[in-house]
Amino acid sequence: MLPHSFTMIATIVIIVVQTFVVVSSAPEADKISTLPGQPQVTFQQYSGYITVDESQQRALFYYFVEAEQDPASKPLVLWLNGGPGCSSVGVGAFGEQGPFQPGDYNVLLKNDYSWNKGVYKQVFNEVGRYIDAYDVTLDVCLSSANQQAYVLNQLQETEKIDVCVGDKIITYLNRKDVQEALHAELVGVSKWSTCSTVLRYDYQNLEIPTISILGSLVKYGIRVLVYSGDQDSVIPLIGSRSLVSDLAKEIGLNTTVAYRAWFEGEQVAGWTQVYGDILSYATIRGASHEAPFTQPQRSLVLFEAFLEGKPLPNIE
Ligand SMILES: *[C@@H]1O[C@H](CO)[C@@H](O)[C@H](O)[C@H]1NC(C)=O
């Protein structure tokens, strides 16, 4: 299980999908030769820092995983976790939808439902229906002025009594050899933690609604999907559902797919509604706050359908 502190992480994740991005310029120095304990894989991984403000010495840490098949033709996906201040690498990549998850005995286990591989072929026996997205997991934690960057942050005092102090992700990402393999540095902090305390958010900002950003994206013609685990006790789906329907009303989108169940195999995988063929809402049945962790298979089906611009599967 993920540590208790994970439950504070907002489930709303922005996935930016951009097709035809040229990534041939991925820096060789950022290439990961191998992560300690990882199984053998055929795709490449990169990680390092992207400078965003030279004068302030601010940088973003990123972890980039190529698609398993034909990466050059695949869309680029940017994953950002919420929190505030929670690590997209630690939570998203190693806890939710990345290719590996730390297991016992210092090994990384392959995630069968990783978003950089297409499993439709295996699950539904549909040959040729790969999705294989690039999965970029970018840590949004900006460093303060005197810190280059910090994907690796201070272990909070509260976490040290936390029942899940032995959490595998925290343990794994605090290993020196793992940090070296990831080209990650501890700058001004002694430990990495899942959620940063050094960001010093103005907590009043948490009250500012951001739903209008989704409205702007829709107005630009960008497809938007808002999803909720229906077992999410942190951000219950009742809230996300009314947010989306209110937004649709506000920007004048009519329902184009009436509220209905969607399926993964013969199981109801959740419910969905589509507005104006551009704004979609979906629940994932049996998923909690971090949907890809608790319902990896359903989450992948949802993600693939969204990337392909296809309706969510109905019963056959
Ligand atoms: C939405 O439905 C209403 C009522 O049927 C109709 O008047 C309006 O033109 C529709 N809007 C769009 C954008 O299709």
Side-chain angles (χ1 to χ4, degrees):
M1 283 303 295
L2 292 176
H4 179 68
S5 59
F6 275 30
T7 59
M8 298 308 291
I9 298 153
T11 203
I12 295 173
V13 172
I14 300 166
I15 299 168
V16 180
V17 180
Q18 187 168 0
T19 43
F20 311 118
V21 167
V22 177
V23 291
S24 54
S25 57
E28 272 311 288
D30 285 2
K31 194 182 249 180
I32 297 170
S33 54
T34 184
L35 290 175
Q38 77 162 68
Q40 213 170 8
V41 293
T42 54
F43 55 86
Q44 298 296 336
Q45 310 172 77
Y46 298 84
S47 62
Y49 293 93
I50 301 167
T51 302
V52 291
D53 186 336
E54 195 109 36
S55 63
Q56 296 286 312
Q57 286 192 294
R58 286 169 195 261
L60 295 168
F61 181 84
Y62 77 94
Y63 171 54
F64 171 64
V65 183
E66 280 192 349
E68 282 205 15
Q69 277 133 16
D70 194 17
S73 70
K74 298 297 157 49
L76 181 72
V77 173
L78 171 67
W79 174 280
L80 305 169
N81 274 91
C86 296
S87 166
S88 307
V89 174
V91 181
F94 288 93
E96 295 190 77
Q97 64 353 56
F100 308 117
Q101 286 166 1
D104 291 327
Y105 310 113
N106 287 335
V107 297
L108 286 179
L109 305 173
K110 189 94 167 55
N111 173 12
D112 286 340
Y113 303 104
S114 174
W115 287 11
N116 75 323
K117 69 183 277 184
V119 297
Y120 260 19
K121 189 181 165 199
Q122 293 159 329
V123 175
F124 298 110
N125 251 346
E126 290 179 4
V127 178
R129 212 173 156 197
Y130 301 104
I131 251 306
D132 297 349
Y134 278 120
D135 178 358
V136 173
T137 311
L138 182 73
D139 197 301
V140 284
C141 300
L142 273 175
S143 66
S144 58
N146 63 347
Q147 297 166 339
Q148 263 186 6
Y150 48 96
V151 61
L152 304 165
N153 285 320
Q154 206 162 14
L155 190 66
Q156 298 171 29
E157 278 308 310
T158 51
E159 282 184 11
K160 290 176 185 166
I161 54 161
D162 192 301
V163 285
C164 299
V165 69
D167 174 79
K168 291 164 189 159
I169 295 170
I170 295 172
T171 304
Y172 185 76
L173 290 180
N174 272 304
R175 282 171 53 174
K176 279 276 159 295
D177 57 347
V178 171
Q179 293 171 2
E180 268 165 34
L182 280 169
H183 316 120
E185 294 170 46
L186 290 175
V187 183
V189 291
S190 57
K191 289 264 189 168
W192 177 88
S193 66
T194 49
C195 298
S196 167
T197 51
V198 283
L199 281 173
R200 295 191 196 90
Y201 274 89
D202 180 346
Y203 274 76
Q204 281 187 341
N205 288 346
L206 291 179
E207 306 296 322
I208 300 172
T210 52
I211 193 81
S212 63
I213 294 169
L214 300 185
S216 305
L217 293 174
V218 166
K219 282 180 197 161
Y220 276 108
I222 295 168
R223 283 186 294 116
V224 169
L225 163 70
V226 175
Y227 68 84
S228 266
D230 70 1
Q231 307 291 308
D232 187 343
S233 59
V234 182
I235 305 174
L237 64 91
I238 197 108
S240 60
R241 177 151 156 73
S242 62
L243 271 180
V244 174
S245 73
D246 289 353
L247 175 67
K249 219 172 282 172
E250 192 185 312
I251 58 182
L253 296 178
N254 290 337
T255 296
T256 44
V257 176
Y259 195 65
R260 68 158 173 91
W262 66 276
F263 290 80
E264 184 253 305
E266 296 190 335
Q267 294 284 311
V268 171
W271 280 263
T272 184
Q273 183 161 358
V274 183
Y275 305 87
D277 287 327
I278 192 164
L279 175 63
S280 304
Y281 176 74
T283 65
I284 303 174
R285 191 168 69 87
S288 63
H289 194 48
E290 289 159 334
F293 174 70
T294 43
Q295 284 294 340
Q297 201 162 339
R298 289 173 187 166
S299 298
L300 181 58
V301 170
L302 178 69
F303 172 67
E304 289 183 333
F306 177 69
L307 273 194
E308 291 182 315
K310 291 188 172 160
L312 282 166
N314 216 328
I315 196 78
E316 274 139 43

